[in-house]
Amino acid sequence: MAIPPPQSILMPPPRLGSFTPTVRYRYFSGAECIWKRELVHAYNCHLIFRKRFDCDSPIFAGELRITASDTYRLFINGQFVGDGPTRSERGQAYVDHYNAVDLPISPGENVIVVIALNKYLAEHGQPPKDGAIALALDAHCSSGCALELRTGKDWKVRIADWYRKPAPRRFSPIGFNEHIDFRKAGQDVLNLRFPDTHWESADVVDDKHLAQCYPRPTPPFIYNHIFPKAALRWGKTGSLTGMMGVARHKAELPAASQGRFKTWVYAESNINDAYVFFGCDNHARVIVNGESVWEQGAPDNQFRQHLSTYEDAWYQGMFHGHGIRFEPNAADRVTSRCQLKAGWNELVVDIDFFDKCYGFELTFCDTNSNQRLPLLNRAQQAIDENNTWLWRVADTDDWQLLKNTSEEIRPYLEPSHLTEWDYREKTEIPEGVDTVFRRAEDGGLVLLPGQFVEYELEAYAVGFLKMNLSGPEGSIVEFALSERNDLTSDRISPINNGQWLVERITLSGNEDQYTGLERRGGRYLSIHVRKARGPVIITTLMMRAMRYNNERMGEFTCSDPVLNWMWKIGYRTTELSTFDLSENCPTREMAQSSGDTFVRTHQLACMWGDLRVSEKAIREFAADQLDNRWGRAMVPSGYGDSIVDFALLLPIWIWSHYQITGGEALIPDVFSGVRNLFTYASKFEDKRGYLIPMERSRNQVYLDMKLADAVRQLPNVAGLQAYYVKSLEHGALLADMLGQKPMAHQWRAKAKNLRTRINEDFWAVNQALYMNGEDGNGRICPETGAATNYIMLWADIPPADRATAMLKQLFPAADEENLNLWPDGEGVYLKHLMADALLKRGCCYEALTAWRGFYGSMMNQMKTIPEAWDRSWADKLPTEYSSTPSANFSTVSPASSRSLVHPVGIGAMWHLMTHICGIKPAKPGYREIHWEPMPGDLQTMNARFPLVNREEYVEISIEPNAQGGRCITLSCPTDIAVESSNRWLASNDYLGIQRNA
């Protein structure tokens, strides 16, 4: 199927401030929601819709509106128009608007085509919704006639069966890998003349998940092309001997929900210690010679925490990858050891929900080298055919020989595991491979059967991979985009951090044009011709990279390279993970988490001066906070474990957003969420006023990821009480604004009493620090730590004398941080709160010391931000080490300029604006500025920050002066009053203000 690559049609700017829900008919009057009725609840369902229409003359005005659940890709007359929509909660839909003048509609007959995908799963960032699309086109033609087009029963639809099903689940909380068979795409379905008369008519379906419509609240994405920069590896893969498994789409099997598979494995001699490496996206068990060697979790392990309450009514068990999938890492190998005796060994694999899975694959590996053992397996010991299996339906004794539709099925096994286990022979990279796609030379890149190439892209990119390629019909081409390239390995990792990365194309025999329907992210690309009868030629290879459409960019440089690096990596990290949601990771989780987004609000304010993503998120989290449960940590969709301290951030976040933007209209719209939060929280207060969340297996206290074993499991967490105090006090500020004086008084009184109680119960006099909490018997735990105490300072729990004493414990000297108070290492979540706690007390040198120690030691090792960092690693590892351990003992590549997970790791960059540069709002929305710079020992600086809801910037410069001090200059618009202070400056430092016209 040919999908041409012209530039997308630009959407008009979003209609700002229109968050009031409107019934669907406001945008789609006369249009119906359409789908195939029997597939509205189908998993990973791809449909294609077509509609021919006439236009009598050129269009001079009008718009096209479209929404869908989950995903659409829109074409008109074969030209790509756009992707969407913005992700939303169930029962809601965001509507994309396209200017009809810019659409490729011509006088005469035209065709509109929509490729739609509905995964119908509880994913991070995307709840399960019934499949549906709705579209309306209203345009005025130069002839004076009106052009109207509406979705309805007169549209044609068919299953886009070139997307092979069932496909492997990419990761438990996100979607599926794409396995595309271009042989089934037939002629170009985007073409006007494509014969669709035999297609079925679309069904009108329920609109319950598109019933409330909003205009798109954030700007449409902008795109650019990212090409391969350098070839990293080139070579050929070897024999598949030793790989075993069943590819369900190639096997003749009934639709049984459970199955048992058996084969015999031959070993030349006794193997006393081997690993079983195994892959399957459902519950599975592996049994060798009658002994269970590995089981893939309980059927619901790690499922319901992502399920939330969406599917409880019909849920019957784990399927489609919700669960722990085996990966070849040290943590799992302990449970997958086995012994093989000389001769034949019985191997049995049990699969639950087999009718919904893609199959399974496994291999035996040497425990020392991790190399695949070239063992043969046969359904019957007497036959000669390899990788053959017997099967039976569970709870029966009727073993049958498994029949396959392909003579050799191993190339059709799940490609991420095949790539992980492949034998590889690297050879010299041929001349020109680096630049072939930039030069656009005739011939392109030629890969022979079995050959692979791995590239580094010009930059880390998030978007859609595009390839034009051709080769013999039935050729299998596999490719993966990854964020890791371990220089000690012989391949780009195809299984990384829980994700299965490799996708697959089967060629039609003609030129095939591939553009991924779901976005991917990474910096390293691998391509492998798994199976072919001749060469495969790739003429186009690029990433159609997407990013948030921000026109203004903040800047920061100074005399300290660590701070420059913080800003640069923070900027790039945030840019790569801010789309229609403020995501905590653009590849692995793709979720909008309240804790991450709270910090992201401040990052975006100083980076872009654009907080539309923050407003959208606040509205979503406030709507999700009911009076009978904690607000979920991830919205849209959800996360079954409520993270209580994240929920308590809501009023603090709303107040901060208001101070930055000055947007008062938001507060009455979201205040019910604040009221519901405190109504529910009060149910968990003990008689002393402490907040004690129950059902801790379902209600976590996050605080900081490195405290998992130290603090989170305490019934009474001291840091959580500090969160509660700060949350109540900010809720009172919001109540005051709305005239809710009794409510504000009640919340302030509760906060005051709780602050007093914390100071009475948790203060350790001898240590001059707060203790972490109390155990289940009500005994105060004597342990103290930096995390708890920074939270106390952030929430203003200690009186002034205690705060001074605490700071002396945290920092024996301004340039000496007490790292003994980080016994579990440092996580990234507290860096924003820590910086706030220090800087608002004037501890600039202490904050700089902390940043330089934490980020500086990291910078010596890598160019990325891991989820957690232990400074002691910096002394143990060589500079630019390529396998630096991260918090979960996986590895972090030094080559990618972003965080693997959770970009909140650069949260402190906000404080470069508000404290180091000293620019704070004296009135909400920066209508007036309080300027109190705190540059510490920085000798030079140039910075500018875009103002929210305005076109202008504020700028700061620092230069040495003749008196041995510094000239510090603020430039800002003439209509903004500035109140300045030299409180934190030396006597030979001078302040100056310039006015921009």
Side-chain angles (χ1 to χ4, degrees), residues 382-422:
I383 66 176
D384 293 330
E385 191 175 355
N386 292 324
N387 193 42
T388 52
W389 293 79
L390 299 170
W391 73 276
R392 74 181 191 191
V393 176
D395 301 323
T396 69
D397 294 322
D398 184 18
W399 288 101
Q400 301 179 45
L401 182 65
L402 179 64
K403 295 181 180 179
N404 297 303
T405 59
S406 177
E407 181 177 341
E408 169 60 277
I409 68 165
R410 283 178 292 188
Y412 300 96
L413 299 177
E414 199 283 318
S416 297
H417 291 89
L418 293 188
T419 304
E420 178 75 39
W421 304 335
D422 268 333

Side-chain angles (χ1 to χ4, degrees), residues 168-171 176-179 243 278-279 325-328 358 361 410-422 424 478-481 491-496 498-504 526 528 530:
R169 192 75 190 268
R170 187 171 181 84
F171 180 52
F176 298 83
N177 286 336
E178 290 186 347
H179 286 195
M243 294 191 187
F278 180 83
R325 289 132 27 115
F326 180 73
E327 296 180 35
Y358 68 83
E361 57 284 334
R410 283 178 292 188
Y412 300 96
L413 299 177
E414 199 283 318
S416 297
H417 291 89
L418 293 188
T419 304
E420 178 75 39
W421 304 335
D422 268 333
R424 288 206 163 188
E478 298 169 353
F479 57 94
L481 194 65
R491 69 198 69 195
I492 293 171
S493 177
I495 300 177
N496 181 48
Q499 300 173 91
W500 297 359
L501 302 178
V502 182
E503 302 181 273
R504 175 177 285 163
S526 66
H528 176 216
R530 172 69 61 186

Side-chain angles (χ1 to χ4, degrees), residues 232 455-456 480-485 492 522-525 893 895:
L232 302 175
Y455 282 109
E456 179 182 359
L481 194 65
S482 177
E483 59 187 353
R484 271 189 56 212
N485 176 35
I492 293 171
R523 188 165 183 166
Y524 305 100
L525 174 66
S893 168

